[in-house]
Amino acid sequence: MGTPIVEVSYDEEIEEWNICRTSTLFYRLIKLRSVDFKFKLDEEFDEITPDKRDVRSVVTVEGNRFTHVSKAKKEGVTGHTVITEFNGDEVVRYMTIDKVPDCTGLMKFTRMKAEKDIKVTEIEEDDDL
């Protein structure tokens, strides 16, 4: 079973947020892929999504909620909205795509406790599994 790991950081010097999402296998022992998502609040930016869609995005914040809205640059490509709520030791993400607005994906993350050290092994190819 895989376990996603999400790390959120903020660089005050350049006012840039970074949300790093790592996909893992076998209870976090094998790191499959990592996606860094860097942005400045309220500023549009170009983005290639993990599924290779070319979109124009903006992230806004209100209270404990980040709202990430992406609009497709090309016809036939869908945009999406991701709302991420930070609630103490829990992060909840709601995801919708423009083509199917009535369907919402939900992901929940819980802060890892310091006593649970994890050894991450990165792999380059599927053959390494």
Side-chain angles (χ1 to χ4, degrees):
M1 171 129 210
T3 303
I5 298 172
V6 176
E7 297 174 85
V8 180
S9 59
Y10 179 69
D11 186 329
E12 291 181 30
E13 200 170 293
I14 59 173
E15 297 180 339
E16 183 176 76
W17 288 89
N18 184 27
I19 298 177
C20 179
R21 295 182 306 266
T22 304
S23 299
T24 65
L25 275 180
F26 304 113
Y27 301 97
R28 304 182 194 125
L29 296 177
I30 299 175
K31 179 179 175 180
L32 289 180
R33 116 184 207 202
S34 182
V35 177
D36 280 316
F37 174 60
K38 295 181 180 184
F39 60 92
K40 293 183 179 186
L41 291 176
D42 302 313
E43 289 187 17
E44 283 193 338
F45 59 96
D46 293 317
E47 175 185 10
I48 303 294
T49 65
D51 60 351
K52 307 295 186 224
R53 289 178 294 122
D54 191 10
V55 296
R56 185 89 176 141
S57 299
V58 66
V59 177
T60 58
V61 68
E62 185 176 328
N64 67 332
R65 177 183 285 203
F66 280 69
T67 301
H68 170 196
V69 177
S70 294
K71 299 293 180 192
K73 291 182 179 181
K74 298 178 184 175
E75 192 172 323
V77 175
T78 189
H80 68 272
T81 300
V82 178
I83 297 172
T84 305
E85 294 179 346
F86 297 89
N87 303 307
D89 285 346
E90 183 179 68
V91 175
V92 180
R93 300 184 80 213
Y94 306 90
M95 297 154 282
T96 58
I97 59 172
D98 294 352
K99 286 185 179 179
V100 191
D102 294 336
C103 181
T104 301
L106 173 68
M107 296 176 77
K108 291 185 178 185
F109 303 91
T110 302
R111 183 182 304 272
M112 293 172 24
K113 304 300 179 196
E115 62 271 6
K116 290 186 179 181
D117 290 330
I118 296 172
K119 180 183 176 193
V120 176
T121 304
E122 291 192 43
I123 63 171
E124 296 296 322
E125 301 289 332
D126 288 341
D127 295 341
D128 292 343
L129 292 173

